[in-house]
Amino acid sequence: MTVRVRFAPSPTGRFHIGGARTALYNVLFARQTGGRFILRIEDTDTKRSTPEALEELKEALRWLGLHWDEGPDVGGPYGPYRQSERKAIYQRYAQQLLEAGHAYRCFCSPERLARLREAQQKAKQTPRYDGLCRSLTREESDRRAATGEPFVIRFKAPKDGTTTVHDYLRGDITVENSTLDDFVLVKSDGMPVYHLAAIVDDHEMAITHVFRGQEWLSTFPLHALIIRAFGWQEPVWCHLSVFLNPTGKGKLSKRHLKSEQEVFVLGLRDLGYLPEAINSWIALMGASFGAEEELLSLDEMAARFSLDRLTPSAARVNFEKLDDFNGKWIRRLAVDDLCTRIKPFFERAGLKVDDPTLRRITPLVRERIVTLDDAVEMAGFFFRADVQPQPADLTPKGLTAEQSTQALERARAALEALPEFTHAAMELRLRELAAELQLKTGQLFGLLRAAITGQTVSPPLFECLEIVGRETTLRRLDQALQLLKSPAGL
RNA sequence: GCCCCCAUCGUCUAGAGGACCAGGACGUGGCCCUUUCAAGGCCAAAACCGGGGUUCGAAUCCCCGUGGGGGCACCA
């Protein structure tokens, strides 16, 4: 039997890393087993589902390289893959449950239900449907439905005994049936609720393994009961642990983060993170791959993925590790590849990028950036006409303004006179100059760095100068000297 | 409040009764390298939640406690 797995998100908000990890594990398992990965859109909540969310979801999945074999846009033999287009299918199955006595119509108004819930909470009881309509006769139920009275369809959960379900990661889980509720299966607008839709679709789409979040653990027995009521075979269930906030307090939410973009896949992309880094990072929170190396490609992870290496406990997200992974992935990138990835960040910052220069600076920044975005701060000066050094950086500690001026003037002359404007030649000459001026190399070079890059931190100075070119270098030195002469005026 | 799940360094994890005075990674500290910042190399500190069992032997199995998490909608 070929493996068929599915990722079934609800397009109700921005796509976050928790969802990405669930999708990733599905993909890895499918790839490893030669199975199929299905994307199914759970948009039965017409109030909350939005087209924008769906687009973001698909874009994020594609960006991560998590391509689906069946689903929206690509189709497949079990479509449609959007639940909103499958209403008739669910109604047919709901009818089947109704006729078999596994479900019943409930005519209780939302108001009555709200009052009921309130009273139960006040009495410190678990809010649950009290079963009023459960005892309605078939005739009365049919009659009231025929008059057009609105109703929902509820599952008739067993009252006595226990129900045992099996989760691959946790083993058997047994609950007292007395704690079960008569869940709504079909809403009064005829739309199914997750509990019905997901179970029907997993069956209809021949899903063999379900990887889903542990938030479904509490309704897991109900899902198994529905499957059993139909007499279907159960898939293998893996309830994945949740992501917790870095503080460990509660489920991951944007509120506890430096930037709320950090929870969203596309947010991370815009922050300058690589899909490779995100994949290898989220994969490791909730599973292990038994490899010496932690930075694994999708293919490597697929080869090593195992249900037995999934962890059932919740994981706090660790953004420091993401940074580490991202830096390491960046350093693995070929120069050309990195160029194309960095370029948009320069452009987004309003800089005009010329490709030959970009090609030359990329190896320099590659060693020292954590996110792609860092390249702008590190190397933006290459693409600006002029720079604005801080006056304080031109008169560093231990040097008077006169000394700084003298040093820059001598350096300028030396650079102008250099036969070859190469970094090797510059370094040789300027080291001599530092000795002549009785300055530490750090002092002289720091001064030049400030004057020419406008920064105190930059890629190696002489490589920078070589790329900036003699003309611009001399001009910026002149501007720095100007600044030294009249710091107040500027 | 009720139900369910989970529990190894600060964090993610390895560990499936003896191979563990518990291994790796991130982070932290130190050293080296060094024109800045990084990168890189080396080193260090750092954990089996508590209590009972079972067993010759438990991080590993069982029970209780504690802690953490998830859920309790005509949302998914």
Side-chain angles (χ1 to χ4, degrees):
Chain A
M1 190 175 62
T2 71
V3 163
R4 292 178 56 82
V5 293
R6 103 280 130 124
F7 176 54
S10 252
T12 53
R14 300 206 55 192
F15 187 56
H16 58 88
I17 54 178
R21 189 193 54 171
T22 303
L24 174 65
Y25 287 162
N26 273 288
V27 167
L28 295 180
F29 189 60
R31 278 204 196 179
Q32 174 182 71
T33 56
R36 306 271 288 175
F37 171 57
I38 290 98
L39 176 63
R40 184 175 74 220
I41 307 302
E42 310 237 335
D43 56 352
T44 55
D45 185 348
T46 49
K47 290 186 202 74
R48 296 199 309 150
S49 299
T50 67
E52 298 75 44
L54 177 59
E55 284 314 305
E56 168 157 348
L57 170 76
K58 292 189 290 187
E59 188 182 347
L61 248 21
R62 290 195 186 102
W63 181 69
L64 288 172
L66 272 20
H67 303 286
W68 52 98
D69 302 309
E70 296 172 28
D73 302 342
V74 306
Y78 296 87
Y81 292 92
R82 294 175 61 158
Q83 292 186 328
S84 56
E85 296 169 14
R86 300 170 64 82
K87 199 170 165 182
I89 298 171
Y90 308 122
Q91 282 175 332
R92 197 168 71 235
Y93 281 111
Q95 193 60 34
Q96 193 179 320
L97 246 25
L98 222 43
E99 279 160 19
H102 287 300
Y104 61 94
R105 294 192 192 92
C106 171
F107 298 91
C108 294
S109 67
E111 293 73 32
R112 174 176 187 273
L113 264 18
R115 279 199 307 274
L116 178 67
R117 189 160 41 239
E118 206 176 314
Q120 286 167 330
Q121 275 165 348
K122 206 166 272 176
K124 302 231 183 241
Q125 289 171 325
T126 304
R128 237 177 332 185
Y129 181 60
D130 62 357
L132 182 71
C133 295
R134 184 169 164 136
S135 54
L136 250 36
T137 62
R138 186 60 162 275
E139 292 68 35
E140 187 176 1
S141 175
D142 288 347
R143 186 182 55 72
R144 288 172 72 174
T147 66
E149 188 177 346
F151 63 84
V152 299
I153 296 176
R154 286 183 185 276
F155 186 69
K156 196 179 279 183
K159 290 287 179 209
D160 310 308
T162 61
T163 297
T164 298
V165 290
H166 188 83
D167 174 79
Y168 192 88
L169 308 182
R170 288 160 253 260
D172 282 346
I173 297 168
T174 300
V175 293
E176 295 286 335
N177 288 152
S178 59
T179 65
L180 264 23
D181 196 3
D182 283 358
F183 279 84
V184 169
L185 258 24
V186 178
K187 297 182 257 187
S188 55
D189 65 0
M191 270 295 193
V193 139
Y194 174 90
H195 308 306
L196 207 226
I199 270 41
V200 164
D201 284 345
D202 286 345
H203 173 256
E204 285 263 310
M205 296 178 180
I207 300 303
T208 58
H209 301 254
V210 173
F211 297 89
R212 38 134 67 158
Q214 80 159 30
E215 63 267 25
W216 296 112
L217 220 41
S218 54
T219 45
F220 181 22
L222 169 82
H223 299 155
L225 251 12
I226 294 173
I227 292 176
R228 291 168 197 175
F230 279 118
W232 296 335
Q233 210 202 328
E234 284 185 53
V236 174
W237 303 92
C238 285
H239 290 87
L240 273 14
S241 61
V242 286
F243 278 164
L244 266 27
N245 281 303
T247 57
K249 286 280 163 222
K251 221 169 29 158
L252 181 66
S253 70
K254 57 190 182 186
R255 289 223 313 279
H256 295 77
L257 307 172
K258 284 179 298 210
S259 157
E260 56 179 49
Q261 294 302 314
E262 285 184 320
V263 232
F264 306 119
V265 172
L266 260 26
L268 288 169
R269 177 193 64 184
D270 296 341
L271 252 16
Y273 290 95
L274 267 34
E276 293 92 332
I278 295 173
N279 281 330
S280 51
W281 172 60
I282 58 180
L284 240 29
M285 293 185 289
S288 63
F289 291 83
E292 281 292 305
E293 176 60 74
E294 284 192 328
L295 293 206
L296 299 172
S297 68
L298 246 25
D299 284 340
E300 289 164 329
M301 287 193 279
R304 295 172 162 279
F305 185 77
S306 164
L307 300 188
D308 299 313
R309 287 181 171 281
L310 257 18
T311 10
S313 52
R316 297 190 197 183
V317 293
N318 182 350
F319 288 101
E320 282 80 31
K321 192 131 178 170
L322 204 217
D323 282 347
D324 178 63
F325 275 23
N326 209 57
K328 284 176 175 160
W329 273 110
I330 284 175
R331 273 166 253 133
R332 284 185 177 194
L333 257 29
V335 172
D336 286 329
D337 189 358
L338 185 55
C339 279
T340 60
R341 301 206 206 201
I342 290 181
K343 195 174 176 182
F345 287 87
F346 283 113
E347 289 173 337
R348 201 180 62 185
L351 296 169
K352 245 184 88 196
V353 178
D354 75 278
D355 290 328
T357 303
L358 179 64
R359 186 77 177 58
R360 294 179 76 189
I361 66 171
T362 296
L364 263 31
V365 298
R366 183 170 56 180
E367 303 304 313
R368 28 184 68 77
I369 59 176
V370 170
T371 61
L372 297 174
D373 190 46
D374 290 341
V376 177
E377 198 182 330
M378 177 72 63
F381 67 89
F382 284 110
F383 301 112
R384 280 188 264 267
D386 297 307
V387 295
Q388 278 86 37
Q390 293 294 312
D393 294 332
L394 293 175
T395 51
K397 267 201 308 263
L399 286 186
T400 63
E402 290 69 37
Q403 286 176 298
S404 287
T405 304
Q406 191 203 6
L408 285 180
E409 278 169 347
R410 295 279 304 271
R412 189 198 184 287
L415 288 170
E416 189 170 28
L418 221 50
E420 299 270 315
F421 203 70
T422 63
H423 66 87
M426 282 184 257
E427 177 163 2
L428 211 60
R429 182 64 193 93
L430 290 170
R431 278 186 187 282
E432 283 171 13
L433 180 62
E436 287 165 27
L437 293 167
Q438 292 190 313
L439 291 177
K440 288 188 206 139
T441 50
Q443 289 178 303
L444 210 217
F445 298 169
L447 209 47
L448 288 168
R449 172 173 287 109
I452 289 144
T453 70
Q455 305 168 182
T456 54
V457 171
S458 80
L461 183 63
F462 306 112
E463 269 115 318
C464 286
L465 298 199
E466 184 178 323
I467 296 170
V468 165
R470 175 142 33 198
E471 192 189 329
T472 303
T473 296
L474 296 182
R475 189 178 70 243
R476 288 182 184 177
L477 281 172
D478 289 337
Q479 288 164 340
L481 284 163
Q482 202 62 42
L483 187 63
L484 271 172
K485 277 180 195 134
S486 53
L490 295 167

